[in-house]
Amino acid sequence: MVQTETGPRHAMQGTYLGTRIEVAAGYDIQTDGWLFHVYLNRSSGETERLSELPTKHQARSLDSAFDQGFELAVEYLTTKRESGSE
C-alpha cells in the first residue's frame, strides 16, 4: 500500500434542487493534482456517489476541484430532473 496524499482531505457542501452536494478533495503527490469525489445526499437519507473508486476526477487546484465537482453534480441533477427520473 502506498500513501499518496500529503495532507488533509477538504470538503465543501452546497444544496441544489433539494439535494445536498458534497465534494471531498485531497492532494495526490504522484500526479501533483487534487483528486476529488462527489456525493449526493438525498432528503430520503440515500447517498449516491458520482465518482469511481478510486476516483479518476482530478483538478489542478483545490478551488478547481470544488468547482468541477459542483458543476458535475448540478449537471447530473439538472439532466435527471429534465428527463423526469427525479
Side-chain angles (χ1 to χ4, degrees), residues 17-20 40-48 80 86:
L17 298 177
T19 299
R20 189 182 60 175
L40 303 177
N41 299 291
R42 311 282 182 175
S43 58
S44 64
E46 179 184 333
T47 298
E48 183 176 2
K80 206 165 182 179
E86 185 69 5

Side-chain angles (χ1 to χ4, degrees), residues 48-74:
E48 183 176 2
R49 183 178 54 242
L50 297 185
S51 47
E52 309 85 6
L53 283 177
T55 186
K56 294 179 183 167
H57 295 297
Q58 182 176 348
R60 297 189 59 80
S61 70
L62 179 58
D63 286 340
S64 182
F66 288 143
D67 289 345
Q68 289 179 45
F70 282 111
E71 287 172 12
L72 177 72
V74 166

Side-chain angles (χ1 to χ4, degrees), residues 1 5 8 13 15 21 28 44 48 55 72 78 80 83 85:
M1 183 164 23
E5 280 185 20
Q13 297 179 359
T15 303
I21 301 166
D28 178 51
S44 64
E48 183 176 2
T55 186
L72 177 72
T78 301
K80 206 165 182 179
S83 70
S85 59

